[in-house]
Amino acid sequence: DTGVSQDPRHKITKRGQNVTFRCDPISEHNRLYWYRQTLGQGPEFLTYFQNEAQLEKSRLLSDRFSAERPKGSFSTLEIQRTEQGDSAMYLCASSSDRVAYSGANVLTFGAGSRLTVL
Amino acid sequence: AQKVTQAQTEISVVEKEDVTLDCVYETRDTTYYLFWYKQPPSGELVFLIRRNSFDEQNEISGRYSWNFQKSTSSFNFTITASQVVDSAVYFCALSERNAGNNRKLIWGLGTSLAVNP
C-alpha cells in the first residue's frame, strides 16, 4: 500500500467555479477525514467518515461543501461556487479503529490538494 | 476548552545543534492523547508519536525524544544533533477524550524549524 493518495495535488480555479478533490485512503483503514490548512495554521477538521457513513461535519463546512464516500473506500470533497476564502490546502487522512492494529487511531495523511481561487 | 500552544513560531539552528520544541496544552479531560506530526516542505503530515495521558514515560527514538509532564501540561520534543533534513514545520496536537475516534485533533499553530548547514 502506498499510503493516502490525493488528487489533484494543485488546482487553480476562478471564483464561482466548482472543484472536486479525491482521496484514496490506505486500503485497510475504515475511517477517513478531511481537514483544511491555511498558511501558518494547523489543520482544521472538516468532516469524518466511518466506512461510508459521514458521522460528523464541522461548522466550517458550509452548504457549498459536500463530501462523499460512497462505497467506504475513496472519498470526494466538492466545493461549489468557490470563493477566494476557500483557497487552502485540503488534507485527507485515514485511520483504523481495529484495536489489534498497531497503528490504530493514528491518522495517516495524504500530501494534500492545494486550491487557489482567483 | 481544549487548546494547544506552540509558543515558538520559528526556530533556526545550525546543524548538529540540539533543539527543543515546546508544546503546552489545556484540557479538562482526564483521558487524552497527545501527538507530534512533522510537515516537511512537500506538505505531507508525518506522524511522529502518540502519547496517552496515563503514560508519562519519556520516549526516545533515535535522535528524537519527547518529555511529557502532566504537572506542567507540556509535551516537549527534542531533536538531538539536528540535521538539515529535520527542517520542517512541527505540529503538536491533542485529541478529545474519545481517542478511539481521533477525529477532532486540536492542533497547535506549528513551529517552523530551519536547520542550516
Side-chain angles (χ1 to χ4, degrees):
Chain A
D1 199 325
T2 56
V4 178
S5 299
Q6 292 189 246
D7 182 71
R9 292 292 309 279
H10 303 276
K11 179 71 176 179
I12 300 174
T13 190
K14 293 183 179 179
R15 189 162 49 102
Q17 299 295 304
N18 299 344
V19 296
T20 299
F21 300 116
R22 175 181 169 123
C23 172
D24 288 89
I26 291 175
S27 56
E28 61 264 31
H29 285 181
N30 59 335
R31 293 176 171 166
L32 187 146
Y33 312 78
W34 285 99
Y35 282 82
R36 182 172 67 186
Q37 186 180 23
T38 53
L39 196 63
Q41 302 292 316
E44 297 173 295
F45 170 79
L46 294 179
T47 190
Y48 152 66
F49 290 85
Q50 176 138 339
N51 301 311
E52 68 276 9
Q54 187 174 20
L55 297 187
E56 188 164 353
K57 292 172 62 174
S58 164
R59 294 174 190 173
L60 294 173
L61 220 61
S62 75
D63 292 344
R64 297 184 297 105
F65 287 71
S66 62
E68 294 182 345
R69 193 183 184 197
K71 296 181 180 178
S73 56
F74 74 92
S75 174
T76 58
L77 176 68
E78 181 182 17
I79 308 174
Q80 296 181 326
R81 305 181 302 282
T82 52
E83 301 173 356
Q84 287 183 328
D86 297 332
S87 296
M89 177 78 86
Y90 289 85
L91 297 167
C92 177
S94 67
S95 73
S96 171
D97 64 352
R98 295 175 205 157
V99 175
Y101 178 57
S102 62
N105 305 317
V106 170
L107 270 62
T108 301
F109 282 85
S113 294
R114 182 171 295 284
L115 173 64
T116 301
V117 182
L118 303 176
Chain B
Q2 294 184 321
K3 184 179 177 182
V4 175
T5 302
Q6 295 180 254
Q8 304 146 308
T9 305
E10 295 181 359
I11 299 176
S12 181
V13 299
V14 177
E15 207 170 13
K16 297 184 183 177
E17 282 186 31
D18 298 346
V19 58
T20 295
L21 310 181
D22 297 333
C23 174
V24 175
Y25 63 92
E26 295 176 29
T27 180
R28 293 179 183 174
D29 292 340
T30 55
T31 303
Y32 53 89
Y33 287 75
L34 294 162
F35 300 79
W36 276 95
Y37 278 83
K38 173 183 180 180
Q39 190 172 40
S42 61
E44 187 167 339
L45 281 157
V46 178
F47 166 77
L48 295 178
I49 189 170
R50 180 185 70 173
R51 172 68 71 224
N52 74 54
S53 53
F54 295 109
D55 182 3
E56 286 195 70
Q57 279 192 333
N58 293 330
E59 182 155 340
I60 297 175
S61 176
R63 296 183 297 106
Y64 295 172
S65 62
W66 290 269
N67 184 302
F68 177 31
Q69 301 219 344
K70 288 181 74 171
S71 59
T72 56
S73 297
S74 66
F75 187 43
N76 296 337
F77 172 32
T78 297
I79 302 175
T80 303
S82 59
Q83 299 176 2
V84 172
V85 292
D86 295 328
S87 297
V89 179
Y90 290 86
F91 289 96
C92 180
L94 167 72
S95 77
E96 291 186 324
R97 177 190 300 265
N98 188 1
N101 277 332
N102 199 20
R103 65 191 184 281
K104 278 188 183 176
L105 288 175
I106 310 299
W107 297 80
L109 294 181
T111 297
S112 178
L113 173 65
V115 181
N116 303 300

